[in-house]
Amino acid sequence: MNASFDPQTVAAVVALGLLCRWLLALWYNTVNLPPGPTGLPFLGNVHQIPLQYPHKTLYEWGQRYGDIIHARLFQKHVLVLDSTKAAEDLLDKRAAKYSDRPHFTLLEDLLQWKPLMVFMSQGETFRLHRKWYQSFLENRQSLRTYESMQQREVDSLLLALLESPENVAYHLKRFTGSLMLEIAYGYTETSEKDAYIRLASETITQSLEAGTLVASLVDFFPILLYLPHWFPGGGFKSNAMKLHGRVWQIMESPFRYVQQAIACSTARPSFTSFMIDQTAKEGQLAEEDELNIKGAAILMYSGGTDTTNTALLTLLLAIALHPEVLRKAQAEIDEKIGPSRLPTLEDRASLPYVECIVKEAYRWNPVLPAGIPHQLREDDEYRGYHIPRGSMVISNIWAMTRDSATYPDSDSFLPERHLPSRGGPICRDPKSIVFGFGRRICPGRFLADSSVWLIAANLLATFDIMNARHPNGDVITPENAFLSGAVSHPKPFICTIRPRNKAYTEMITQRSTSSLAI
Ligand code: HEM
């Protein structure tokens, strides 16, 4: 049979086919998405997400729309996960698809925080850095070698608390800074160490806070990078340029210190000295290798300081607000350890109530309430919904730790909820939530957790922590409040910290004298 088609019909059929395909794609990309608040044409849902405590708004959305929510930031699809079930289904079980990161233009391109694994999508360099972290932070043998450093730093923390308990926040910051400086760079010199910790802490905080409105917009519209710095709104670039110098300094100076120490054969064992040793060929490091080592070392330092410090301050605030928790912990320590020595990591299994306090501190104020965003590598389907490739995926850790089915009365600090002896099923260990998910799970979680536990056990054993008083005798109750930000810092508070008795005072003095002599 000889069929003939007139060209106009063919064109009409092709056009109709294309239109159907476009409509189908539009439907798939807009209609079949997970539920979420209706946005505006250009802005999407940007105007509905507050700058302050955004995780709380995302939690409220979860109450209204369910535990997976779709939103849009300008043209960017965002998937919010408000439950551990959804996070495990997607970030853990489909990790190959869900483990990229969105590009952070401000931090990477303007402030030059790179190459930092935390910003990398999956690929060869990501795998290399992750392997390094695995052998330095997740390997049992490496972790054991850090125990003597942790113990020494705890000893000096307790001594510092005897001398100036009112500076507890500073002493805790110094503990995490010193520990991470030693692990990452083998750096122990006291006066320079303090100056470095101060500079690094300011630079990291200011980098995270650098997001003025226009600066944050740069992440969505990188073209704004080309705004001249004198143009209205372009001032963020001069600020970024100033901060960039400091970023360079805190990455560069400890690295050069290690190189010099290696040259003088005085280098102490550390991540950086080991990596230089392993990677250099005939004493020379290729530029790319040098950059990779610098980036991995500074991320180890910066990823491990403010986070651990915040978990410790949270625990201190919780104890100051709950004297009954302190009494129970001290009773447990007195019974299991006795009055003649201080707790060590070996004692962990025999102090279940202290363990519950640590778990509850992680849960009560998750350090990174909205985690760190992942990005979806290819189109996916979940519970019948379409999730477009390139979506930013937010694990709303705060919502997960507020789940009232798992953690009834979730705003209250109740260590007992984690006790295995309560008859019912043991409630989920918050450590399986607060350190993130899948291939991006925090590689420093074991180190952080052992530091937090060791300090908690020693602090509770040796000091009484209570409400401070005004000179007129009025009690000053600390505010149960946390500052908004990527890291949820407790609002600065004061409390009274006093050694429990003379025997502990002597033990602390004696122990820190002998550990300083090592
Ligand atoms: C209580 C302390 C800590 C908490 C609560 C914490 C929490 C987290 C979370 C939620 C993430 C994001 C995981 C994800 O994307 O799903 C993360 C990533 C990371 N953390 Fe931690 N962290 C802590 C301590 C540490 C320490 C001590 C180190 C290093 C020594 C560290 C190094 C890192 C690094 C390098 C990443 C990026 C991982 C990646 O992008 O693949 N963290 N952390």
Side-chain angles (χ1 to χ4, degrees):
M1 223 163 68
N2 195 2
S4 70
F5 298 104
D6 95 72
Q8 275 181 336
T9 315
V10 173
V13 170
V14 171
L16 193 67
L18 287 175
L19 181 69
C20 289
R21 227 181 96 176
W22 182 75
L23 284 173
L24 200 68
L26 192 70
W27 175 81
Y28 206 51
N29 268 307
T30 52
V31 180
N32 195 29
L33 299 167
T38 313
L40 294 173
F42 171 70
L43 293 177
N45 305 95
V46 169
H47 60 298
Q48 293 159 321
I49 303 180
L51 291 174
Q52 298 283 313
Y53 309 103
H55 50 275
K56 295 192 179 177
T57 299
L58 301 184
Y59 167 72
E60 281 158 20
W61 286 1
Q63 305 295 302
R64 201 169 328 148
Y65 301 105
D67 61 340
I68 55 167
I69 304 140
H70 175 268
R72 220 188 277 261
L73 295 178
F74 303 101
Q75 293 312 303
K76 183 108 183 143
H77 290 283
V78 179
L79 180 72
V80 181
L81 308 178
D82 263 5
S83 73
T84 46
K85 166 91 179 96
E88 283 172 347
D89 282 350
L90 301 180
L91 306 183
D92 286 345
K93 294 186 188 151
R94 301 183 194 178
K97 284 185 187 174
Y98 281 86
S99 298
D100 284 350
R101 293 274 192 224
H103 187 69
F104 298 90
T105 306
L106 172 74
L107 293 169
E108 292 179 78
D109 302 341
L110 275 175
L111 300 185
Q112 295 283 309
W113 278 108
K114 64 182 180 187
L116 263 59
M117 184 188 74
V118 66
F119 302 135
M120 290 176 199
S121 283
Q122 298 180 91
E124 213 177 301
T125 320
F126 167 74
R127 275 193 296 278
L128 177 73
H129 283 231
R130 195 81 213 188
K131 204 169 85 192
W132 290 350
Y133 285 122
Q134 206 167 21
S135 67
F136 274 82
L137 297 174
E138 297 177 274
N139 170 294
R140 196 181 288 261
Q141 219 176 331
S142 304
L143 290 166
R144 282 209 75 99
T145 62
Y146 306 140
E147 286 178 10
S148 56
M149 301 177 194
Q150 288 170 298
Q151 190 63 62
R152 182 162 25 86
E153 290 302 336
V154 169
D155 291 344
S156 66
L157 169 76
L158 296 180
L159 187 66
L161 285 176
L162 277 185
E163 288 164 359
S164 56
E166 68 285 2
N167 294 334
V168 60
Y170 171 76
H171 299 321
L172 290 174
K173 187 184 266 193
R174 201 170 179 282
F175 165 88
T176 47
S178 295
L179 181 67
M180 292 320 301
L181 267 184
E182 190 165 356
I183 292 175
Y185 303 105
Y187 209 83
T188 53
E189 278 144 61
T190 311
S191 56
E192 289 176 29
K193 193 166 70 177
D194 287 350
Y196 181 86
I197 292 172
R198 202 169 305 117
L199 180 67
S201 159
E202 278 169 21
T203 309
I204 295 163
T205 311
Q206 286 173 15
S207 296
L208 292 174
E209 286 170 358
T212 61
L213 188 60
V214 183
S216 314
L217 282 179
V218 152
D219 281 343
F220 297 96
F221 302 105
I223 195 158
L224 291 175
L225 270 182
Y226 302 103
L227 273 185
H229 63 84
W230 45 262
F231 198 77
F236 75 96
K237 278 178 74 177
S238 10
N239 292 340
M241 263 139 60
K242 276 184 222 144
L243 204 48
H244 163 227
R246 297 226 230 139
V247 172
W248 184 85
Q249 194 185 344
I250 66 164
M251 283 174 87
E252 194 69 12
S253 65
F255 182 84
R256 295 289 163 225
Y257 161 89
V258 179
Q259 273 193 323
Q260 226 166 35
I262 292 175
C264 306
S265 308
T266 54
R268 295 168 65 97
S270 70
F271 169 78
T272 305
S273 66
F274 181 85
M275 292 314 308
I276 293 179
D277 211 45
Q278 289 287 300
T279 324
K281 293 184 186 76
E282 291 159 17
Q284 287 297 309
L285 267 183
E287 195 180 334
E288 194 187 347
D289 292 333
E290 184 172 315
L291 275 178
N292 276 321
I293 298 172
K294 275 186 209 162
I298 193 67
L299 179 61
M300 197 178 273
Y301 177 84
S302 52
T305 42
D306 197 21
T307 47
T308 311
N309 190 37
T310 300
L312 287 165
L313 278 173
T314 299
L315 193 137
L316 184 69
L317 173 64
I319 297 295
L321 287 168
H322 299 91
E324 74 289 356
V325 171
L326 175 67
R327 273 196 301 277
K328 281 189 207 166
Q330 290 179 337
E332 180 180 79
I333 295 169
D334 291 349
E335 187 198 331
K336 302 281 172 45
I337 310 273
S340 53
R341 69 178 183 88
L342 300 184
T344 69
L345 284 168
E346 306 279 305
D347 296 309
R348 192 158 182 176
S350 61
L351 297 174
Y353 190 70
V354 174
E355 190 70 44
C356 292
I357 296 176
V358 170
K359 285 183 183 174
E360 185 63 350
Y362 288 141
R363 187 203 66 80
W364 188 55
N365 172 45
V367 170
L368 291 168
I372 300 175
H374 293 213
Q375 182 164 285
L376 177 58
R377 173 165 278 221
E378 51 189 78
D379 280 346
D380 196 21
E381 204 175 302
Y382 181 57
R383 298 186 193 161
Y385 295 117
H386 171 64
I387 305 167
R389 165 174 179 263
S391 296
M392 181 193 276
V393 183
I394 296 178
S395 36
N396 191 1
I397 292 176
W398 200 82
M400 299 176 204
T401 57
R402 290 295 164 287
D403 171 19
S404 56
T406 316
Y407 307 114
D409 192 9
S410 62
D411 284 338
S412 300
F413 185 83
L414 298 171
E416 284 77 6
R417 69 170 90 240
H418 304 285
L419 274 179
S421 57
R422 297 181 89 209
I426 302 171
C427 82
R428 186 188 177 106
D429 183 347
K431 281 191 291 220
S432 69
I433 302 173
V434 300
F435 290 107
F437 298 90
R439 290 187 188 169
R440 306 312 295 238
I441 192 168
C442 172
R445 63 199 180 284
F446 302 116
L447 180 68
D449 185 46
S450 57
S451 292
V452 172
W453 186 88
L454 193 62
I455 292 188
N458 277 273
L459 195 63
L460 298 168
T462 51
F463 287 91
D464 281 326
I465 299 158
M466 56 207 125
N467 285 337
R469 281 182 186 273
H470 278 295
N472 67 7
D474 288 352
V475 169
I476 308 170
T477 309
E479 207 181 330
N480 174 2
F482 302 88
L483 301 172
S484 178
V487 175
S488 175
H489 300 108
K491 216 168 157 185
F493 62 95
I494 53 168
C495 59
T496 296
I497 301 180
R498 232 183 258 144
R500 273 178 84 193
N501 55 45
K502 208 158 162 258
Y504 278 125
T505 307
E506 278 165 13
M507 234 184 289
I508 291 171
T509 319
Q510 203 181 20
R511 215 165 78 162
S512 47
T513 320
S514 49
S515 73
L516 280 176
I518 293 173

